[in-house]
Amino acid sequence: MGFGLQDNITPPHTNFAAYNHIRTPKRWICYPTSGHFAAYENMDSWIAESTRFFNQYVVW
């Protein structure tokens, strides 16, 4: 899960409500200066982290 700490549309605490119920390997990434469009504003980082996670936990 990635989120922008400055998100005033869906604040981080609303994301963690669902995240905390997931019982499989998971990871969150905080973009402290980003808002609602954190993944788009940090696309290179988001793709790299997502790829690293999926390569670790998904059998291709």
Side-chain angles (χ1 to χ4, degrees):
M1 174 179 79
F3 60 89
L5 197 55
Q6 305 304 316
D7 190 339
N8 60 358
I9 297 171
T10 52
H13 72 273
T14 62
N15 295 318
F16 277 100
Y19 179 86
N20 290 333
H21 288 281
I22 298 171
R23 299 292 177 224
T24 60
K26 58 189 176 183
R27 181 164 184 236
W28 57 266
I29 303 165
C30 176
Y31 297 101
T33 61
S34 293
H36 189 68
F37 298 102
Y40 297 107
E41 296 168 358
N42 302 280
M43 189 59 70
D44 291 340
S45 169
W46 178 247
I47 290 172
E49 292 297 328
S50 298
T51 301
R52 186 176 299 119
F53 178 85
F54 284 112
N55 283 339
Q56 183 176 0
Y57 293 105
V58 177
V59 178
W60 299 101

